[in-house]
Amino acid sequence: MYGLGLIKGLGITMKNLVIPNRQFNIYQYPNKKVTPWDLAKINSSKTFPFIAKNPITTFKSLVGLVNVEERLPQHPNFRGEEFAWYDNRCTGCASCAKYCPLGIIKIVTGTSGVNSQEGQSYDLEVFDIDIGRCMFCGLCVEACPYDALHMGSGFEEAQYQRSNLVIDINKLKSAEKKPSTWFRPQLVKQGHDPITGDTADWKKVGRHEKPSLDDQSERWAKR
Amino acid sequence: MTGIRTEPVTVNLGPQHPSTHGVFRLRVTFDGEEIIDLEPVFGYLHRGTEKLAETRNYTQIVTLTDRMDYVASMSNNLAYVRTVEKLSGIQVPERAQYIRVICAELQRIASHLMATGFLLNDIGALATPLIYCFREREKILDLFEMLCGARITLSYMRPGGIFQDADSDFWNALDILIQELPHYLDELEALISKNEIVLARTRSVGILSDADAIDYGVTGPILRASRVKWDLRKANPYEIYNRLDFEIPIGVEGDTYDRFHVRLLEMQESVKIITQCIKQIEKGPIRANTPYFIRPKPGETYQSVEGPKGELGFYLISDGGVSPYRCKVRAPSFINLTPLKKMMLGWKMGDLITILGSIDIVLGEVDR
Amino acid sequence: MTQIYFVQLIDFYSFYEMFYSIFQNLGFEKSSSWMSYIAAGGSLSFLAINLLVLATAFYTWFERRTIARFQVRRGPNRNGPFGLGQPFADVIKLIMKEDTIPSEADKPVFTIAPIALLAPTLLIITVIPIDDSSFLATLNIGILFIVGITSVNSIAIFMAGWGSRNKYAILGSMRGAAMLISYEIPMALGITSVLLIAGSLAMSEIVAKQEIWFIAVMPMGFFVFMASATAEMSRTPFDQIEAESELGSGYNTEFSGIKFAILFLAEFMAPIVTSAVVTTLFLGGSQGFNFLPGQFWFVLKMFVVIFALLWIRSTWPRLRVDQIMGFAWKILMELGFVNIFLIAIEVAILMDPVTGILTSQDMLIMAGINWVFTIITLVFLANFLGKRNYDRPDPVPSPLANMEPKGE
């Protein structure tokens, strides 16, 4: 019958209004509303003592006025900002710079004179990543032969100045290293989670274990 | 009616207009509400993708293809990567082919959802069906995030396969999606294609006949809505499509309604394809042993796939170096725009928006 | 009297008496009468306008939240508790913005248009009886006043479009002028059927006559009135004037700053006013159960009507221009005439010729006849219209297609 489709349409929109799990964004990005039960869990106390102690907060949270900061859930594979770079792994081969489609990685190396045939032949003087122009394709990470460069997981690095978006070598060295598991199967095997997990040190993240300086000098000495 | 003088008015529809789907401009002459002349103007989003490709090596160009049709990056990747493989004679492992097909079909669903939603938004449904569509599309984007760490600009495929295998998270989520999606698609169809106002707005509006469609070189859902049963997945099966069983839906007369109804039906078929792929896929390598810098022998080749918007083809000429000598893209959105005048003349202002929406253009691909 | 009067809403005469006593005490012997008239009128208008503007502000919040829920997202919820501060933030933003006038614009027309659009909407609310004891003006031709004053809308919208010298605005306002004038006829027809039963033009009389709500007595009249009222305030499926996806923003394309704020206010005040009129005419006004005051029931019914309007707005798409005009002239007007004809016959037969009173039994009989008639008409119309649109042949592949698998 003509006109029935219109009424059915009204029914469908009402269904979507009523059913809660039809909601588009279950996660309200910067902070989310919490129930008293969640609040008790956050304060690590039991539910009923918490409600008894804080009646006003409980009432507020029941009405929906208490918010807690929350980060969007994301997969450990997420290719984000905050590149994790391990200087003890990096040999300064500049594969990443060569492979970057936009040419935004700048590497300047000098000879260190140490073990020039075993890998650690260069001192890195400059290692700049201009993430203002980066498109996070991940080709640099794919190119790195020693697993020294990893994608990060953040997405909240907005800055007021473009120049602040250039990550230089000191920032990279001192940054908190939570590498993304993107293109790093060894991190997946370890069950590493860049969002909730700990920082990963350079021994955990690599497929190729690089010999230490002592090892190297020993090996050189034995020859 | 003597003494009343009327004159046609020329309106610039765009480049800033909510319903031109980007920076597209139409110089339209109206007689009252009726369209008597129109001239499309584009190029506002020209970024020189084809020229840029000449200065990058074959793997880096994958990132450029993401940005052409930015709602269907997977299909673009697939089309480009297949061309490079043909050019340099790389054999792709079977598992990689299956995953590629799954991705391409997921991307087709995502793209069609967006097209259908925006068409309804153009008719004036206040974004409600649009957001229902986006909710489903978001689930597909979540899947892509699990697969390759990005949601829109994916860069997932590489010449010789894909760069990373899908883990168990992905397969579980895909199973849930495949189970739920048909239900939501049915709901969408009930909300849209049974709605009398939508029928009144779209039935028999902007008809493109089958002969015209073929003459203008139109491809994809628009061609199939004009009763022409042509789909590259069947006509020239690539990857593993010849092992899969699916139908090609066609329209009744080639009007606006058919153009989005064909898309709705195609989404159901895509779900079917993915279900079969999940059953057939086996363990194995995912990437052929290709060097970082591919140097194909001098020569030229053209390969095309059935993208969500039509035949998406790449034409590459190699001079033996690390980057192509010439890269030409056959962008379906651009060619589908050619019969615009044929479809629109004589219709009203509201129909103009609807017909433009039913072509489903993406300006990143039109202007490249 | 069991009714609790804890909400004694504003009433002109209580204001007048208050001011009269004040002026008497101040020593204005003779002139206190007209002075208190002016003072009462001024303060009452001030109060009413501010209350209505505040109500509109919260209505925008309500509309955004409700439509957001229909669209499975969240509405404004960042500004204050539940986002209740959002309307104020919007208003402050709009007032702070630069008030630009296009150089080619017809400046007086452009400036007067927002006020001309807002004024009638504000005027309508004065004649609506929110309860027996609370209304702003007792006009014995209340409903006629409403019909007259809504016609100003079409002129105001045309002024806004014409004055801004913008092609989109002119297209929008041309559509608006045509549509608003056409839909006034079915709206008047819907109102006339109410008047036939009520036998009075005064709003409070109409409410008092509704022993059975008029929505139950004449569903067809309600349908005709609701459809045309939706068109009068230009909401989906009839939102041709603004038509965001087609005309950008329609008649208010060139407006900014405080002028846009006023246009916006008028546009969002229309649903409140319309729902108040619908409540008065068809839903029994302030009638309800005695344990709560009449104002409460009135507002509750208004909310129901507003929610229904939002429900429709968030679900249905927009009709095309010619389809809208066709709907007004080819369907709604005929239905309205048929409805009037039927009710006139029923009233002539059932009404007591001496006293001119319709009892509730008479109304029940009328309701029965009207419901049966309405359902039969609508089903007949639906099937008659539907034949053309639903029947479609199966798709036949074009002979021009030649798809033979070539293989890899």
Side-chain angles (χ1 to χ4, degrees), chain A residues 44-70:
Chain A
S44 63
S45 66
K46 288 196 173 162
T47 314
F48 289 106
F50 179 81
I51 290 171
K53 267 183 209 165
N54 308 309
I56 298 168
T57 320
T58 310
F59 178 73
K60 268 189 175 176
S61 69
L62 277 177
V63 177
L65 287 177
V66 180
N67 292 321
V68 176
E69 275 194 22
E70 190 195 42

PDB file of all heavy atoms in Angstrom, chain A residues 44-70:
ATOM      1  N   SER A  44      39.452   2.068  42.991  1.00  0.00           N
ATOM      2  CA  SER A  44      39.856   0.766  43.548  1.00  0.00           C
ATOM      3  C   SER A  44      39.307   0.526  44.939  1.00  0.00           C
ATOM      4  O   SER A  44      40.017   0.188  45.877  1.00  0.00           O
ATOM      5  CB  SER A  44      41.377   0.609  43.515  1.00  0.00           C
ATOM      6  OG  SER A  44      41.986   1.577  44.320  1.00  0.00           O
ATOM      7  N   SER A  45      38.007   0.782  45.085  1.00  0.00           N
ATOM      8  CA  SER A  45      37.342   0.382  46.323  1.00  0.00           C
ATOM      9  C   SER A  45      36.106  -0.410  45.934  1.00  0.00           C
ATOM     10  O   SER A  45      35.713  -0.437  44.760  1.00  0.00           O
ATOM     11  CB  SER A  45      36.949   1.609  47.143  1.00  0.00           C
ATOM     12  OG  SER A  45      35.974   2.349  46.454  1.00  0.00           O
ATOM     13  N   LYS A  46      35.479  -1.047  46.903  1.00  0.00           N
ATOM     14  CA  LYS A  46      34.309  -1.845  46.582  1.00  0.00           C
ATOM     15  C   LYS A  46      33.109  -0.945  46.358  1.00  0.00           C
ATOM     16  O   LYS A  46      33.071   0.194  46.829  1.00  0.00           O
ATOM     17  CB  LYS A  46      34.037  -2.844  47.707  1.00  0.00           C
ATOM     18  CG  LYS A  46      35.068  -3.943  47.702  1.00  0.00           C
ATOM     19  CD  LYS A  46      34.635  -5.131  48.517  1.00  0.00           C
ATOM     20  CE  LYS A  46      35.635  -6.258  48.329  1.00  0.00           C
ATOM     21  NZ  LYS A  46      35.549  -7.275  49.358  1.00  0.00           N
ATOM     22  N   THR A  47      32.121  -1.472  45.623  1.00  0.00           N
ATOM     23  CA  THR A  47      31.049  -0.618  45.135  1.00  0.00           C
ATOM     24  C   THR A  47      30.243   0.007  46.268  1.00  0.00           C
ATOM     25  O   THR A  47      30.077   1.225  46.336  1.00  0.00           O
ATOM     26  CB  THR A  47      30.103  -1.441  44.243  1.00  0.00           C
ATOM     27  OG1 THR A  47      30.892  -2.201  43.351  1.00  0.00           O
ATOM     28  CG2 THR A  47      29.180  -0.529  43.462  1.00  0.00           C
ATOM     29  N   PHE A  48      29.770  -0.836  47.196  1.00  0.00           N
ATOM     30  CA  PHE A  48      28.821  -0.312  48.187  1.00  0.00           C
ATOM     31  C   PHE A  48      29.474   0.627  49.195  1.00  0.00           C
ATOM     32  O   PHE A  48      28.905   1.668  49.504  1.00  0.00           O
ATOM     33  CB  PHE A  48      28.089  -1.474  48.866  1.00  0.00           C
ATOM     34  CG  PHE A  48      27.123  -2.117  47.930  1.00  0.00           C
ATOM     35  CD1 PHE A  48      27.390  -3.350  47.366  1.00  0.00           C
ATOM     36  CD2 PHE A  48      25.943  -1.447  47.574  1.00  0.00           C
ATOM     37  CE1 PHE A  48      26.509  -3.927  46.475  1.00  0.00           C
ATOM     38  CE2 PHE A  48      25.062  -2.022  46.685  1.00  0.00           C
ATOM     39  CZ  PHE A  48      25.345  -3.265  46.130  1.00  0.00           C
ATOM     40  N   PRO A  49      30.688   0.290  49.683  1.00  0.00           N
ATOM     41  CA  PRO A  49      31.351   1.290  50.532  1.00  0.00           C
ATOM     42  C   PRO A  49      31.572   2.610  49.815  1.00  0.00           C
ATOM     43  O   PRO A  49      31.388   3.683  50.394  1.00  0.00           O
ATOM     44  CB  PRO A  49      32.693   0.622  50.873  1.00  0.00           C
ATOM     45  CG  PRO A  49      32.470  -0.816  50.699  1.00  0.00           C
ATOM     46  CD  PRO A  49      31.433  -0.958  49.654  1.00  0.00           C
ATOM     47  N   PHE A  50      31.913   2.556  48.541  1.00  0.00           N
ATOM     48  CA  PHE A  50      32.146   3.782  47.782  1.00  0.00           C
ATOM     49  C   PHE A  50      30.867   4.616  47.697  1.00  0.00           C
ATOM     50  O   PHE A  50      30.881   5.828  47.928  1.00  0.00           O
ATOM     51  CB  PHE A  50      32.639   3.435  46.373  1.00  0.00           C
ATOM     52  CG  PHE A  50      32.870   4.647  45.516  1.00  0.00           C
ATOM     53  CD1 PHE A  50      34.052   5.380  45.630  1.00  0.00           C
ATOM     54  CD2 PHE A  50      31.911   5.061  44.620  1.00  0.00           C
ATOM     55  CE1 PHE A  50      34.248   6.503  44.867  1.00  0.00           C
ATOM     56  CE2 PHE A  50      32.115   6.185  43.847  1.00  0.00           C
ATOM     57  CZ  PHE A  50      33.285   6.901  43.969  1.00  0.00           C
ATOM     58  N   ILE A  51      29.752   3.943  47.423  1.00  0.00           N
ATOM     59  CA  ILE A  51      28.485   4.677  47.315  1.00  0.00           C
ATOM     60  C   ILE A  51      28.104   5.271  48.662  1.00  0.00           C
ATOM     61  O   ILE A  51      27.635   6.408  48.742  1.00  0.00           O
ATOM     62  CB  ILE A  51      27.378   3.738  46.787  1.00  0.00           C
ATOM     63  CG1 ILE A  51      27.655   3.415  45.311  1.00  0.00           C
ATOM     64  CG2 ILE A  51      26.005   4.367  46.924  1.00  0.00           C
ATOM     65  CD1 ILE A  51      26.770   2.352  44.746  1.00  0.00           C
ATOM     66  N   ALA A  52      28.347   4.514  49.712  1.00  0.00           N
ATOM     67  CA  ALA A  52      28.013   5.011  51.040  1.00  0.00           C
ATOM     68  C   ALA A  52      28.876   6.218  51.402  1.00  0.00           C
ATOM     69  O   ALA A  52      28.411   7.158  52.045  1.00  0.00           O
ATOM     70  CB  ALA A  52      28.197   3.896  52.073  1.00  0.00           C
ATOM     71  N   LYS A  53      30.141   6.184  51.006  1.00  0.00           N
ATOM     72  CA  LYS A  53      31.043   7.275  51.368  1.00  0.00           C
ATOM     73  C   LYS A  53      30.755   8.539  50.562  1.00  0.00           C
ATOM     74  O   LYS A  53      30.836   9.635  51.071  1.00  0.00           O
ATOM     75  CB  LYS A  53      32.497   6.832  51.118  1.00  0.00           C
ATOM     76  CG  LYS A  53      33.165   6.228  52.338  1.00  0.00           C
ATOM     77  CD  LYS A  53      34.599   5.913  52.001  1.00  0.00           C
ATOM     78  CE  LYS A  53      35.092   4.745  52.835  1.00  0.00           C
ATOM     79  NZ  LYS A  53      36.333   4.190  52.309  1.00  0.00           N
ATOM     80  N   ASN A  54      30.495   8.371  49.255  1.00  0.00           N
ATOM     81  CA  ASN A  54      30.351   9.549  48.398  1.00  0.00           C
ATOM     82  C   ASN A  54      28.947   9.616  47.803  1.00  0.00           C
ATOM     83  O   ASN A  54      28.747   9.310  46.635  1.00  0.00           O
ATOM     84  CB  ASN A  54      31.359   9.503  47.245  1.00  0.00           C
ATOM     85  CG  ASN A  54      32.759   9.285  47.748  1.00  0.00           C
ATOM     86  OD1 ASN A  54      33.212   9.994  48.635  1.00  0.00           O
ATOM     87  ND2 ASN A  54      33.415   8.289  47.187  1.00  0.00           N
ATOM     88  N   PRO A  55      27.948   9.974  48.612  1.00  0.00           N
ATOM     89  CA  PRO A  55      26.582   9.982  48.066  1.00  0.00           C
ATOM     90  C   PRO A  55      26.401  11.034  46.986  1.00  0.00           C
ATOM     91  O   PRO A  55      25.674  10.807  46.017  1.00  0.00           O
ATOM     92  CB  PRO A  55      25.716  10.286  49.289  1.00  0.00           C
ATOM     93  CG  PRO A  55      26.631  10.901  50.275  1.00  0.00           C
ATOM     94  CD  PRO A  55      27.998  10.385  50.012  1.00  0.00           C
ATOM     95  N   ILE A  56      27.083  12.192  47.131  1.00  0.00           N
ATOM     96  CA  ILE A  56      26.869  13.270  46.153  1.00  0.00           C
ATOM     97  C   ILE A  56      27.456  12.878  44.811  1.00  0.00           C
ATOM     98  O   ILE A  56      26.825  13.028  43.758  1.00  0.00           O
ATOM     99  CB  ILE A  56      27.494  14.582  46.670  1.00  0.00           C
ATOM    100  CG1 ILE A  56      26.799  14.995  47.964  1.00  0.00           C
ATOM    101  CG2 ILE A  56      27.357  15.683  45.632  1.00  0.00           C
ATOM    102  CD1 ILE A  56      27.493  16.092  48.709  1.00  0.00           C
ATOM    103  N   THR A  57      28.672  12.351  44.828  1.00  0.00           N
ATOM    104  CA  THR A  57      29.297  11.913  43.572  1.00  0.00           C
ATOM    105  C   THR A  57      28.471  10.819  42.917  1.00  0.00           C
ATOM    106  O   THR A  57      28.310  10.794  41.694  1.00  0.00           O
ATOM    107  CB  THR A  57      30.715  11.385  43.867  1.00  0.00           C
ATOM    108  OG1 THR A  57      31.309  12.226  44.841  1.00  0.00           O
ATOM    109  CG2 THR A  57      31.544  11.357  42.621  1.00  0.00           C
ATOM    110  N   THR A  58      27.949   9.916  43.736  1.00  0.00           N
ATOM    111  CA  THR A  58      27.137   8.840  43.191  1.00  0.00           C
ATOM    112  C   THR A  58      25.907   9.383  42.493  1.00  0.00           C
ATOM    113  O   THR A  58      25.579   8.992  41.367  1.00  0.00           O
ATOM    114  CB  THR A  58      26.695   7.898  44.332  1.00  0.00           C
ATOM    115  OG1 THR A  58      27.830   7.557  45.086  1.00  0.00           O
ATOM    116  CG2 THR A  58      26.034   6.671  43.776  1.00  0.00           C
ATOM    117  N   PHE A  59      25.266  10.331  43.158  1.00  0.00           N
ATOM    118  CA  PHE A  59      24.067  10.922  42.559  1.00  0.00           C
ATOM    119  C   PHE A  59      24.417  11.622  41.247  1.00  0.00           C
ATOM    120  O   PHE A  59      23.749  11.460  40.239  1.00  0.00           O
ATOM    121  CB  PHE A  59      23.424  11.907  43.534  1.00  0.00           C
ATOM    122  CG  PHE A  59      22.225  12.593  42.964  1.00  0.00           C
ATOM    123  CD1 PHE A  59      21.026  11.906  42.799  1.00  0.00           C
ATOM    124  CD2 PHE A  59      22.286  13.916  42.556  1.00  0.00           C
ATOM    125  CE1 PHE A  59      19.928  12.532  42.261  1.00  0.00           C
ATOM    126  CE2 PHE A  59      21.185  14.550  42.008  1.00  0.00           C
ATOM    127  CZ  PHE A  59      19.998  13.854  41.863  1.00  0.00           C
ATOM    128  N   LYS A  60      25.509  12.395  41.291  1.00  0.00           N
ATOM    129  CA  LYS A  60      25.933  13.121  40.084  1.00  0.00           C
ATOM    130  C   LYS A  60      26.211  12.159  38.940  1.00  0.00           C
ATOM    131  O   LYS A  60      25.816  12.395  37.793  1.00  0.00           O
ATOM    132  CB  LYS A  60      27.211  13.918  40.381  1.00  0.00           C
ATOM    133  CG  LYS A  60      26.971  15.343  40.836  1.00  0.00           C
ATOM    134  CD  LYS A  60      28.308  16.048  40.880  1.00  0.00           C
ATOM    135  CE  LYS A  60      28.180  17.506  41.209  1.00  0.00           C
ATOM    136  NZ  LYS A  60      29.507  18.116  41.336  1.00  0.00           N
ATOM    137  N   SER A  61      26.881  11.084  39.242  1.00  0.00           N
ATOM    138  CA  SER A  61      27.237  10.162  38.165  1.00  0.00           C
ATOM    139  C   SER A  61      26.008   9.417  37.661  1.00  0.00           C
ATOM    140  O   SER A  61      25.934   9.052  36.487  1.00  0.00           O
ATOM    141  CB  SER A  61      28.292   9.175  38.637  1.00  0.00           C
ATOM    142  OG  SER A  61      27.724   8.302  39.583  1.00  0.00           O
ATOM    143  N   LEU A  62      25.021   9.217  38.544  1.00  0.00           N
ATOM    144  CA  LEU A  62      23.786   8.585  38.092  1.00  0.00           C
ATOM    145  C   LEU A  62      23.053   9.499  37.132  1.00  0.00           C
ATOM    146  O   LEU A  62      22.466   9.062  36.139  1.00  0.00           O
ATOM    147  CB  LEU A  62      22.893   8.250  39.292  1.00  0.00           C
ATOM    148  CG  LEU A  62      23.202   6.945  40.016  1.00  0.00           C
ATOM    149  CD1 LEU A  62      22.299   6.799  41.217  1.00  0.00           C
ATOM    150  CD2 LEU A  62      23.018   5.756  39.088  1.00  0.00           C
ATOM    151  N   VAL A  63      23.072  10.820  37.414  1.00  0.00           N
ATOM    152  CA  VAL A  63      22.430  11.767  36.505  1.00  0.00           C
ATOM    153  C   VAL A  63      23.213  11.882  35.213  1.00  0.00           C
ATOM    154  O   VAL A  63      22.658  12.147  34.153  1.00  0.00           O
ATOM    155  CB  VAL A  63      22.285  13.134  37.209  1.00  0.00           C
ATOM    156  CG1 VAL A  63      21.700  14.163  36.278  1.00  0.00           C
ATOM    157  CG2 VAL A  63      21.405  13.001  38.428  1.00  0.00           C
ATOM    158  N   GLY A  64      24.520  11.657  35.308  1.00  0.00           N
ATOM    159  CA  GLY A  64      25.326  11.711  34.097  1.00  0.00           C
ATOM    160  C   GLY A  64      26.202  12.934  34.031  1.00  0.00           C
ATOM    161  O   GLY A  64      26.415  13.509  32.974  1.00  0.00           O
ATOM    162  N   LEU A  65      26.690  13.393  35.178  1.00  0.00           N
ATOM    163  CA  LEU A  65      27.501  14.612  35.192  1.00  0.00           C
ATOM    164  C   LEU A  65      28.966  14.350  35.496  1.00  0.00           C
ATOM    165  O   LEU A  65      29.763  15.273  35.530  1.00  0.00           O
ATOM    166  CB  LEU A  65      26.942  15.596  36.221  1.00  0.00           C
ATOM    167  CG  LEU A  65      25.636  16.275  35.837  1.00  0.00           C
ATOM    168  CD1 LEU A  65      25.151  17.155  36.951  1.00  0.00           C
ATOM    169  CD2 LEU A  65      25.807  17.103  34.584  1.00  0.00           C
ATOM    170  N   VAL A  66      29.328  13.100  35.754  1.00  0.00           N
ATOM    171  CA  VAL A  66      30.718  12.819  36.084  1.00  0.00           C
ATOM    172  C   VAL A  66      31.415  12.238  34.856  1.00  0.00           C
ATOM    173  O   VAL A  66      30.948  11.273  34.260  1.00  0.00           O
ATOM    174  CB  VAL A  66      30.816  11.835  37.268  1.00  0.00           C
ATOM    175  CG1 VAL A  66      32.265  11.551  37.583  1.00  0.00           C
ATOM    176  CG2 VAL A  66      30.121  12.411  38.471  1.00  0.00           C
ATOM    177  N   ASN A  67      32.504  12.876  34.471  1.00  0.00           N
ATOM    178  CA  ASN A  67      33.236  12.432  33.296  1.00  0.00           C
ATOM    179  C   ASN A  67      34.631  11.977  33.690  1.00  0.00           C
ATOM    180  O   ASN A  67      35.227  12.514  34.618  1.00  0.00           O
ATOM    181  CB  ASN A  67      33.362  13.563  32.282  1.00  0.00           C
ATOM    182  CG  ASN A  67      32.029  13.907  31.682  1.00  0.00           C
ATOM    183  OD1 ASN A  67      31.225  13.031  31.415  1.00  0.00           O
ATOM    184  ND2 ASN A  67      31.785  15.184  31.492  1.00  0.00           N
ATOM    185  N   VAL A  68      35.118  11.007  32.989  1.00  0.00           N
ATOM    186  CA  VAL A  68      36.482  10.541  33.194  1.00  0.00           C
ATOM    187  C   VAL A  68      37.179  10.579  31.843  1.00  0.00           C
ATOM    188  O   VAL A  68      36.580  10.255  30.825  1.00  0.00           O
ATOM    189  CB  VAL A  68      36.482   9.103  33.758  1.00  0.00           C
ATOM    190  CG1 VAL A  68      37.900   8.588  33.881  1.00  0.00           C
ATOM    191  CG2 VAL A  68      35.810   9.066  35.090  1.00  0.00           C
ATOM    192  N   GLU A  69      38.431  10.975  31.854  1.00  0.00           N
ATOM    193  CA  GLU A  69      39.158  11.037  30.592  1.00  0.00           C
ATOM    194  C   GLU A  69      39.317   9.642  30.014  1.00  0.00           C
ATOM    195  O   GLU A  69      39.541   8.680  30.713  1.00  0.00           O
ATOM    196  CB  GLU A  69      40.535  11.655  30.828  1.00  0.00           C
ATOM    197  CG  GLU A  69      40.481  13.162  30.791  1.00  0.00           C
ATOM    198  CD  GLU A  69      41.849  13.764  30.689  1.00  0.00           C
ATOM    199  OE1 GLU A  69      42.773  13.070  30.239  1.00  0.00           O
ATOM    200  OE2 GLU A  69      41.980  14.933  31.067  1.00  0.00           O
ATOM    201  N   GLU A  70      39.172   9.592  28.700  1.00  0.00           N
ATOM    202  CA  GLU A  70      39.284   8.295  28.059  1.00  0.00           C
ATOM    203  C   GLU A  70      39.918   8.473  26.696  1.00  0.00           C
ATOM    204  O   GLU A  70      39.642   9.427  25.988  1.00  0.00           O
ATOM    205  CB  GLU A  70      37.903   7.681  27.893  1.00  0.00           C
ATOM    206  CG  GLU A  70      37.947   6.258  27.453  1.00  0.00           C
ATOM    207  CD  GLU A  70      36.613   5.784  26.946  1.00  0.00           C
ATOM    208  OE1 GLU A  70      35.956   6.531  26.227  1.00  0.00           O
ATOM    209  OE2 GLU A  70      36.238   4.670  27.272  1.00  0.00           O
TER     210      GLU A  70
END
